[in-house]
Amino acid sequence: MYTKAEIINILKDDSQNEALFLKADKIRYENVGDEIHLRGLIEFSNICSSSCKYCGLRTANKNVQRYKMSPDEIIQCAKNAADIGYKTIVLQSGEDKFFTREILCKIISEIKKLDVALTLSIGERSKDDYRAFKDAGADRYLIRIETTDENLYTKMHPNMDFKNRLNCLYNLKELGYETGTGCLVGLPGQTIESLANDILFFKNLEADMVGIGPFIPHPNTPLKDTPKGDFTLALKVMSLVRILLKDINIPATTAMETIWPNGRILALQAGANVIMPNVTKFEYKKKYEIYPGKISKDACYDGNLNNQLLLEKKDIEEKIKSIGRIISNTKGFRKNH
Ligand code: SAH
């Protein structure tokens, strides 16, 4: 276990990065093996009542064509993904009040008939909502704390409350979800010390999943002129999370691939064991622009959704095999828990 001072030193000193990545890779191998879990991500609504300063979907951005998929479309999309072999479906959206507890519970129970694990990533809801989603069959929940620096959090999230976000995480844990969180790397004013605090927070929370992504400036947000986050620093934060939390699930995030060629493969070799391919229809996913340049294989789209999904899956599977890793055919729950 590293102390905070040691974590800060590691983050500041770039002379030992290769050793750090190797160590994280070894701990990944010893604790979760060579299997990579693919989670099919459905971005079902870009309607959002929040105004996070970094996010392209913020309410205040009027240049977004807003959409929401109908419950039937969402279920069909999950079926397509399950048909081609995805064992986990992730439902993600902005904070869209259309999707009430009742509507979501119906969607969840339908998707659970497909023999898949189901992850939600739909933001802050009441504990009663979280309980109802769990009872309807949801297995996991992702909600990044984004930063544990309360001052910075307050600056980045107008009209949101840091304590409420924390409470969401505690409620999810208490309800028995596999709970995922994470942070952005490169927010304006974020310090190395605050990143060290983030890492220790994930450890104290005993998170089951942690996603780390570099901040990417979106042109229609107040942070449009802020430099993007540093890829290597994000990778180092991720490696430290693997070293400290050992057997959790860690995605190689799309944001990493977006700012660095082959970023996800590098992440898989520095502690990550999960990839979340996007299975949303192109007409929708191009509108789900939380940050610009999100990688997407739209060039291959030939009008046949299943062909496109298969191509994307094959592409990522080939990359995974090329680094000697295996595609998991299990639902990929956290081991030993
Ligand atoms: N409404 C949900 C889902 C948010 S989108 C929620 O609040 O949890 C998922 C993640 O995208 C966010 O948690 C955030 O960390 C990330 N994200 C948003 N804007 C980003 C940007 N400009 N650059 C990098 N990541 C971003």
Side-chain angles (χ1 to χ4, degrees), residues 168-182:
C168 287
L169 280 164
Y170 299 143
N171 288 339
L172 291 162
K173 287 281 304 183
E174 204 183 304
L175 291 165
Y177 279 92
E178 284 209 344
T179 304
T181 188

Side-chain angles (χ1 to χ4, degrees), residues 116-329:
V116 289
L118 182 62
T119 308
L120 298 175
S121 173
I122 58 176
E124 298 179 19
R125 297 269 178 156
S126 69
K127 189 171 183 184
D128 285 342
D129 277 2
Y130 287 158
R131 185 181 294 110
F133 303 155
K134 185 90 186 29
D135 290 345
D139 302 285
R140 312 186 184 119
Y141 205 104
L142 305 173
I143 182 162
R144 291 183 177 174
I145 193 69
E146 315 293 0
T147 172
T148 56
D149 174 339
E150 189 166 354
N151 262 330
L152 179 59
Y153 183 92
T154 307
K155 278 188 204 146
M156 291 294 112
H157 303 96
N159 306 319
M160 285 169 73
D161 181 0
F162 180 70
K163 302 228 163 37
N164 192 52
R165 200 137 182 112
L166 275 182
N167 270 331
C168 287
L169 280 164
Y170 299 143
N171 288 339
L172 291 162
K173 287 281 304 183
E174 204 183 304
L175 291 165
Y177 279 92
E178 284 209 344
T179 304
T181 188
C183 65
L184 286 164
V185 174
L187 290 172
Q190 189 179 41
T191 61
I192 292 291
E193 184 185 358
S194 113
L195 287 171
N197 287 333
D198 293 352
I199 295 168
L200 291 170
F201 168 77
F202 305 147
K203 175 78 184 168
N204 285 335
L205 180 72
E206 294 184 62
D208 300 298
M209 304 170 279
V210 174
I212 307 293
F215 157 71
I216 303 171
H218 189 291
N220 297 323
T221 64
L223 301 188
K224 61 179 189 303
D225 298 322
T226 303
K228 65 175 186 282
D230 184 80
F231 173 76
T232 305
L233 183 58
L235 206 59
K236 289 175 73 175
V237 171
M238 191 203 75
S239 291
L240 283 163
V241 170
R242 169 61 73 200
I243 292 168
L244 266 73
L245 284 94
K246 301 207 182 332
D247 68 345
I248 66 165
N249 283 317
I250 300 183
T253 57
T254 306
M256 287 196 178
E257 184 95 2
T258 303
I259 64 160
W260 199 267
N262 242 8
R264 284 185 303 186
I265 293 297
L266 295 174
L268 290 176
Q269 296 173 297
N273 69 322
V274 168
I275 287 199
M276 295 165 62
N278 198 320
V279 298
T280 320
K281 265 191 206 163
F282 183 59
E283 62 169 298
Y284 294 129
K285 77 172 161 190
K286 69 181 178 203
K287 295 179 183 152
Y288 196 87
E289 200 187 57
I290 49 184
Y291 50 79
K294 246 174 55 184
I295 45 122
S296 158
K297 270 253 152 3
D298 51 276
C300 299
Y301 188 46
D302 64 356
N304 181 326
L305 184 65
N306 279 325
N307 281 351
Q308 185 211 7
L309 284 190
L310 269 174
L311 283 173
E312 290 202 23
K313 187 156 176 281
K314 258 183 89 181
D315 182 66
I316 197 73
E317 286 178 351
E318 267 159 29
K319 282 189 182 145
I320 289 169
K321 286 181 194 146
S322 78
I323 56 166
R325 302 279 278 281
I326 305 157
I327 317 291
S328 166
N329 56 18

Side-chain angles (χ1 to χ4, degrees), residues 29 78 90 158 237 313 331:
Y29 173 72
V90 183
V237 171
K313 187 156 176 281
K331 296 191 179 83

